């Protein structure tokens, strides 16, 4: 007898969902016991790491990844990572186990109220009415995750897996096509706006994805500066290009000043415009027109733009580069530079970043989760490929460690470096076990200052007095890493730093075991 489980496994195979990231419980055992040999199971020790690994895997392979969560406890633990997947626009199919359908009405032990537990962050949540509807729900979740570029959830009671599935209909298309061409007539208003601009500018966002060539062609045709969106989850433009002009400020006063010279600003794959602390006033000065190209409906609908296109950025940029005339402008544009290299004394995080920048290979995949060091990382370490800067756009901690592991699993021939704060590392430290167990050769560079330095800075800026949170200098991340099976080294001096990087980085692309560098740094002013 063909079962629901058999039908879902066939869907996994057909749509390349053959790696299952999970931390299972009893409600998932009927699915996993006797898992076929052609399906790979990857264990993580916390559900945040489960989804974090899946995020990295999906980013690296540029297609949906599969995660399995355990009822209310597992889904609840993973909500932070699910919000990151949504904000980073990473396609995930997430199956959530549920208690036996036959006594759910009595709310048995481990039954979960799951439909709204993750809030509005999933792009779809499905609780199939019948067991036989599960395969269609899983396939629809794959299509929804791909189309909306986000996490799609399917809640499956544990007894559904063994239900019969002979001659049943799968309520989803076997193949779904998404044409992306944009007609020249539809582009005419944007062509007119850019052709008449005296000093245009582009803002590149993570929504550009890996298709940089079209945006580069458009930038070079316009001969204008290109800014990176603030708090983006991914670099949207090569940051060693002469037209790259740095990351946009995340407050309105400095944003208006930075964009003041431009009469037209076109945001590509980026919202208009991402901010942090609230400040009153408009985003741009009067007289500056804003245009937007995005394939995210939510971004298109909420952005205060004069002209917005809901379309594939790569297709629009490629055609604009052909339609626009070449203006009489061009050249390099100034941007903020990094601080001076090491000058003696205790290590600072900028010293670590300088030494990394001089040694990282061109094709490095760099995952960042070091909030207090992020501005200096942007200034010192340019992203030279679309994977040269990956971060959590949502801002919740716990992304860096597991995402780096998932990325290296998906891209085994590329060097992967995670630059992390010690506070951030503690949120996703369980991912080190998965890195060690599955022999995933990521280099974790932890900037250890024994405190939440970014919070200290915010308290100083707020002016309301010192924050009540203590430092956590007792934490030994090296010992914690080794206890999880991941080798670790303590780095306390400049000589130790340079010697270690010289030893490790040349072989990083072929490394089969992870390594955590616990780098002692002071608190930069």
């Amino acid at each position: 007898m063909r079962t629901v489980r058999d039908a879902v496994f066939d869907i996994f195979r057909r749509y390349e969902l053959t790696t299952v990231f999970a931390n299972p419980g009893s409600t998932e055992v009927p699915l996993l016991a006797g898992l076929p040999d052609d399906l790979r199971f990857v264990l993580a020790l916390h559900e945040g790491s489960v989804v974090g690994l899946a995020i990295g895997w999906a980013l690296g392979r540029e297609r949906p990844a599969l995660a399995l969560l355990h009822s209310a406890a597992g889904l609840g633990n993973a909500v932070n990572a699910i919000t990151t997947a949504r904000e980073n626009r990473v396609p995930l199919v997430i199956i959530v186990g549920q208690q036996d359908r036959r006594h759910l009405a009595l709310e048995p032990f481990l039954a979960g109220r799951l439909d709204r537990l993750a809030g509005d962050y999933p792009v779809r949540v499905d609780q199939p009415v019948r067991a036989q509807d599960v395969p269609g729900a899983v396939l629809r979740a794959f299509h929804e995750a791909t189309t909306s570029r986000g996490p799609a959830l399917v809640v499956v009671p544990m007894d559904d897996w063994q239900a019969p599935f002979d001659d049943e209909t799968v309520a989803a298309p076997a193949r779904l096509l998404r044409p992306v061409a944009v007609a020249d007539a539809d582009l005419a208003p944007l062509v007119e706006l850019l052709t008449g601009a005296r000093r245009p500018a582009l803002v590149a966002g993570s929504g550009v994805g890996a298709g940089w060539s079209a945006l580069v062609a458009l930038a070079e045709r316009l001969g204008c500066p290109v800014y990176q969106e603030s708090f983006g989850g991914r670099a949207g433009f090569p940051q060693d290009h002469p037209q790259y002009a740095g990351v946009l400020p995340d407050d309105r006063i400095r944003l208006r000043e930075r964009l003041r010279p431009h009469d037209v600003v076109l945001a590509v794959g980026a919202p208009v415009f991402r901010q942090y602390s609230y400040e009153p006033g408009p985003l741009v000065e009067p007289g500056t027109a804003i245009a937007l190209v995005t394939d995210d409906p939510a971004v298109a609908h909420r952005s205060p733009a004069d002209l917005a296109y809901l379309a594939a950025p790569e297709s629009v940029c490629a055609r604009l580069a052909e339609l626009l005339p070449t203006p009489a402008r061009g050249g390099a544009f100034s941007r903020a530079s990094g601080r001076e290299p090491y000058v003696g004394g205790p290590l600072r995080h900028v010293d670590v970043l300088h030494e990394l920048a001089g040694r990282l290979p061109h094709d490095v995949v760099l995952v960042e989760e070091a909030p207090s060091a992020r501005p200096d990382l942007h200034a010192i370490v340019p992203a030279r490929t679309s994977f040269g800067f990956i971060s959590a756009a949502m801002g919740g901690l716990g992304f860096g460690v597991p995402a780096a592991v998932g990325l290296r699993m998906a891209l085994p021939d590329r060097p992967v470096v995670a630059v992390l704060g010690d506070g951030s590392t503690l949120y996703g430290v369980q991912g080190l076990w998965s890195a060690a167990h599955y022999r995933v050769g990521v280099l974790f560079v932890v900037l250890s200052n024994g405190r939440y330095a970014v919070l200290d800075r915010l308290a100083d800026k707020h002016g309301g007095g010192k924050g009540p949170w203590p430092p956590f200098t007792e934490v030994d991340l090296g010992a914690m890493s080794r206890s999880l099976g991941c080798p670790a080294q303590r780095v306390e001096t400049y000589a130790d730093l340079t010697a270690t990087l010289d030893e490790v980085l040349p072989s990083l692309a072929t490394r089969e075991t992870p390594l955590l560098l616990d780098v002692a740094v002071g608190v930069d002013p």
Side-chain angles (χ1 to χ4, degrees), residues 212 216 235-244 383-385:
W212 276 9
V216 170
F237 189 81
Q239 295 175 358
D240 57 350
H241 192 283
Q243 287 174 233
Y244 178 64
R384 292 171 288 187
T385 72

Side-chain angles (χ1 to χ4, degrees), residues 147-506:
T147 300
S148 301
R149 287 168 56 196
L153 274 58
V154 182
V155 178
V156 184
M158 60 190 296
D159 58 310
D160 283 9
W161 298 114
Q162 298 307 322
F165 195 77
D166 288 325
D167 301 321
E168 293 286 344
T169 299
V170 175
R175 189 179 181 197
L176 178 62
L177 301 180
R178 304 169 182 84
V180 296
V182 181
D184 288 358
D186 293 330
L187 290 177
L190 184 54
V191 170
E192 181 181 359
L193 182 66
L194 291 171
T195 301
R198 300 183 308 279
R199 295 198 64 187
L202 296 175
V203 176
S206 55
V208 173
W212 276 9
S213 59
L215 182 59
V216 170
L218 175 60
E220 291 176 349
R221 174 59 63 97
L222 287 169
C224 69
V226 182
Y227 301 98
Q228 172 71 32
E229 68 166 320
S230 61
F231 299 113
R234 187 170 181 174
F237 189 81
Q239 295 175 358
D240 57 350
H241 192 283
Q243 287 174 233
Y244 178 64
V247 179
L248 281 183
D250 59 20
D251 62 90
R252 296 191 183 201
I253 294 175
R254 292 186 301 143
L255 177 66
R256 288 195 296 271
E257 186 61 31
R258 182 70 60 85
L259 296 180
R260 185 189 304 275
H262 306 293
D263 55 343
V264 174
V265 178
L266 171 61
V268 181
V272 179
F273 292 106
R274 201 122 190 252
Q275 303 286 284
Y276 187 19
S277 299
Y278 172 74
E279 288 178 345
L283 294 171
V284 296
E285 295 289 346
T288 299
I290 299 174
L292 169 69
V293 177
T294 179
D295 61 358
D296 186 338
V299 169
H301 295 154
R302 72 170 181 260
S303 292
D306 298 281
L307 176 64
Y309 284 82
L310 186 55
E314 187 173 2
S315 297
V316 171
C317 290
R319 189 61 185 139
L320 282 176
E322 296 172 352
L323 294 174
L324 288 169
T326 302
R329 57 174 170 260
F333 298 88
S334 62
R335 59 181 180 269
S337 60
R339 301 183 191 178
E340 292 298 317
Y342 180 69
V343 293
L347 282 172
R348 305 166 299 168
H349 71 244
V350 291
D351 302 319
V352 181
L353 297 176
H354 272 296
E355 297 308 321
L356 276 174
R359 292 169 172 81
L360 290 176
H362 183 275
D363 64 341
V364 70
V365 179
L366 192 147
V367 179
E368 176 274 327
E369 194 169 39
S372 62
R374 183 182 297 131
D376 290 311
L377 185 144
H378 280 310
I380 296 169
V381 187
R384 292 171 288 187
T385 72
S386 61
F387 287 110
F389 178 82
I390 303 289
S391 187
M394 189 64 190
L397 300 180
F399 167 85
V401 171
V405 178
L407 275 159
R408 180 57 189 262
M409 289 178 119
L411 302 168
D413 298 323
R414 291 195 56 178
V416 177
V417 175
V419 178
L420 314 164
D422 48 354
S424 302
T425 302
L426 290 171
Y427 278 78
V429 71
Q430 298 92 343
L432 295 175
W433 181 89
S434 299
H437 182 82
Y438 295 103
R439 298 182 62 80
V440 182
V442 175
L443 176 63
F444 303 97
V445 180
V446 182
L447 307 173
S448 294
N449 53 32
R451 67 197 69 241
Y452 296 119
V454 71
L455 277 181
D456 294 338
R457 290 182 182 177
L458 289 171
D460 290 340
K461 181 179 179 181
H462 183 265
K466 185 179 183 298
W469 46 87
F472 44 89
T473 52
E474 305 89 344
V475 173
D476 187 338
L477 274 174
M480 190 177 295
S481 178
R482 287 186 289 272
S483 76
L484 292 165
C486 177
Q489 293 178 219
R490 178 73 169 176
V491 174
E492 296 185 336
T493 68
Y494 180 73
D496 288 344
L497 174 67
T498 55
T500 302
L501 294 179
D502 286 340
E503 176 185 356
V504 173
L505 286 177

Side-chain angles (χ1 to χ4, degrees), residues 112-123:
R113 301 178 184 180
L114 305 175
D115 59 329
R116 299 293 296 169
L117 185 53
D120 293 329
Y121 288 103
V123 297

